[in-house]
Amino acid sequence: MLSPSLAQEIAADTSAVIGFNVLITDAEGMVIGSGDSSRVGSFHEASVEVVRTQEPATHSASQAHKLRGVRPGVTLPLVTGGRAVGTVGITGTPAQVRRFGLLVKRQTEILLRESVMLRSRLLAERASETLLADIASYDPQVVEGEFLMFRAAELGFDLRLQRAAVAIEVTVPSAAARRRSARTQDMALVRSELLRTVREVFADPQDIVASTAPGWIGVLHRLPAQHPTASLVGACQRLTDVIAAQDGLTARAGIGEPATSVGGLHDSYQDACDGLRLGARLTGGSSVHVITDLRVHQLLAAVGQPARNRLLELTTADLRAQTDWPALRDTITAWCENGFNLVRASAALHIHRNTVIYRMNKIEQITGRPLREHRTTMALYLACLADQLAGGVDED
């Protein structure tokens, strides 16, 4: 419990502050930290009795001379959880060092408790990371789902509760933005702060939050009974807004489907990652991407680039030759995604309905087929999505 590295750090720092050598032993009386490094690894006989009785002891020069490895001073027990785990000693005449004894003891015990708490938290974080990674890569041919359910239960998580996966990507600003904001830190340095921020938003005891890669955080969020999707989208929006306010970081979130099994959570997490990847190309400036809204895009992405290129070439070759192809593409997309309704399509594009009519007439003239023929329009729509997936989104 009392590690040598922590003991040495405490002993060296405290010795420098009070001006007397501080010595720390383990429960067997072995010196594991000392301002005088030559004493590390030696046996301190007085500590054995102090650990046994949990009572401090003082030793004059004549008394110390009779004990192995002991010098004049005071020795006090280090107690945590009602058990003595070692001692802390201060070298000097008892009259000089006695006044420092209680202070050094209490400070050392505080640092020891903080170290234990930190280690416990780090172990819990590592266990959550491993659990989430195993769910993300779950293969029923390799590992039993019941085994992961059992491991999760050991950590206090019931994977039978309805959850949805969230994949969060956080990026640092560009080099130019970094120069404008001297406070911006490297992603590795802000990892713990990001995890804390995510846990403040996803604070349910059943929420599993873990870092999955540099700049990536995964969440298996327990869904509420009422309006689960709406509440999750709102939580993700709040989270990305909070992160964006921290040193100019940018954040996006992908949301998977609800699930109540290991296999379902695996699919939900993969969907969340797909939503994050596809949403960045297809939904403009939005920071939250729900896979439910991107199923067609996900299916088209799975077809493969050669097939998408062939669809794009054979369906939109003449349209793509036009200088206003991006506007025509957006018109086709808005027409399809708004139920082939002129008013809703013009509102989505933020242009006058007459402009939509003009563009639609132009598309019909070039293709030779009416846009109200839904089979034709859907082929054009899929081709437009293929163009976006290929990186054809225009940058402002």
Side-chain angles (χ1 to χ4, degrees), residues 27 29 44-57 59 77 87:
H44 189 264
E45 187 176 355
S47 293
V48 176
E49 184 66 12
V50 170
V51 168
R52 188 185 69 80
T53 62
Q54 295 192 23
E55 294 291 336
H59 301 91
T87 68

Side-chain angles (χ1 to χ4, degrees), residues 2 19 27 35 38 61 74 115 124 159 165 215-216 223 259-260 304 310 343 353 388:
L2 183 56
S38 66
V74 59
S115 174
L159 296 186
W216 284 74
L223 292 171
T260 56
R310 183 167 174 77
V343 174
R353 63 191 300 273
Q388 290 178 310

Side-chain angles (χ1 to χ4, degrees), residues 1 14 35 48 106 136 139 174 219 228:
M1 184 176 289
T14 309
V48 176
R106 287 180 176 173
D139 182 346
S174 64
V219 181

Side-chain angles (χ1 to χ4, degrees), residues 168 170 193-202 234-252 287-288:
I168 304 159
V170 182
E193 180 66 18
L194 287 173
L195 282 171
R196 185 188 65 80
T197 300
V198 174
R199 290 192 177 105
E200 286 178 352
V201 174
F202 295 103
C236 289
Q237 190 62 63
R238 290 195 307 275
L239 176 63
T240 56
D241 290 344
V242 169
I243 293 175
Q246 298 178 1
D247 292 335
L249 298 174
T250 59
R252 296 184 302 110
S287 61
V288 179

Side-chain angles (χ1 to χ4, degrees), residues 254-329:
I255 300 175
E257 298 276 11
T260 56
S261 66
V262 173
L265 288 172
H266 166 80
D267 293 340
S268 182
Y269 186 75
Q270 297 306 316
D271 281 346
C273 293
D274 282 350
L276 195 55
R277 176 173 55 87
L278 295 170
R281 302 184 187 182
L282 301 167
T283 56
S286 175
S287 61
V288 179
H289 315 290
V290 184
I291 193 60
T292 308
D293 301 330
L294 298 166
R295 284 300 184 193
V296 174
H297 314 75
Q298 186 185 37
L299 181 63
L300 190 60
V303 169
Q305 189 68 48
R308 297 203 305 268
N309 287 343
R310 183 167 174 77
L311 171 68
L312 189 59
E313 289 296 330
L314 295 178
T315 308
T316 63
D318 293 336
L319 289 173
R320 293 171 67 229
Q322 304 299 310
T323 57
D324 59 347
W325 159 240
L328 300 179
R329 181 193 61 204

Side-chain angles (χ1 to χ4, degrees), residues 147-166:
F147 174 69
L148 292 182
M149 296 275 281
F150 174 76
R151 274 185 41 206
E154 286 187 317
L155 298 174
F157 302 121
D158 184 354
L159 296 186
R160 297 170 299 179
L161 299 174
Q162 189 178 54
R163 284 180 167 81
V166 179

Side-chain angles (χ1 to χ4, degrees), residues 108-188:
T108 303
E109 289 175 341
I110 289 172
L111 292 173
L112 177 58
R113 285 195 296 271
E114 289 179 346
S115 174
V116 171
M117 291 174 61
L118 176 60
R119 178 174 174 80
S120 176
R121 188 175 79 242
L122 290 176
L123 289 174
E125 286 185 4
R126 180 61 58 85
S128 295
E129 288 177 8
T130 302
L131 176 64
L132 185 56
D134 288 345
I135 291 173
S137 60
Y138 172 67
D139 182 346
Q141 302 299 319
V142 177
V143 63
E144 292 276 349
E146 289 296 324
F147 174 69
L148 292 182
M149 296 275 281
F150 174 76
R151 274 185 41 206
E154 286 187 317
L155 298 174
F157 302 121
D158 184 354
L159 296 186
R160 297 170 299 179
L161 299 174
Q162 189 178 54
R163 284 180 167 81
V166 179
I168 304 159
E169 181 186 30
V170 182
T171 55
V172 297
S174 64
R178 240 190 231 110
R179 287 193 293 270
R180 291 194 297 269
S181 177
R183 295 175 59 216
T184 298
Q185 302 178 57
D186 183 82
M187 184 56 62

Side-chain angles (χ1 to χ4, degrees), residues 193-234:
E193 180 66 18
L194 287 173
L195 282 171
R196 185 188 65 80
T197 300
V198 174
R199 290 192 177 105
E200 286 178 352
V201 174
F202 295 103
D204 190 295
Q206 284 292 321
D207 286 344
I208 303 173
V209 180
S211 175
T212 57
W216 284 74
I217 296 173
V219 181
L220 299 180
H221 170 60
R222 180 184 181 181
L223 292 171
Q226 301 295 323
H227 311 295
T229 302
S231 66
L232 181 53
V233 171

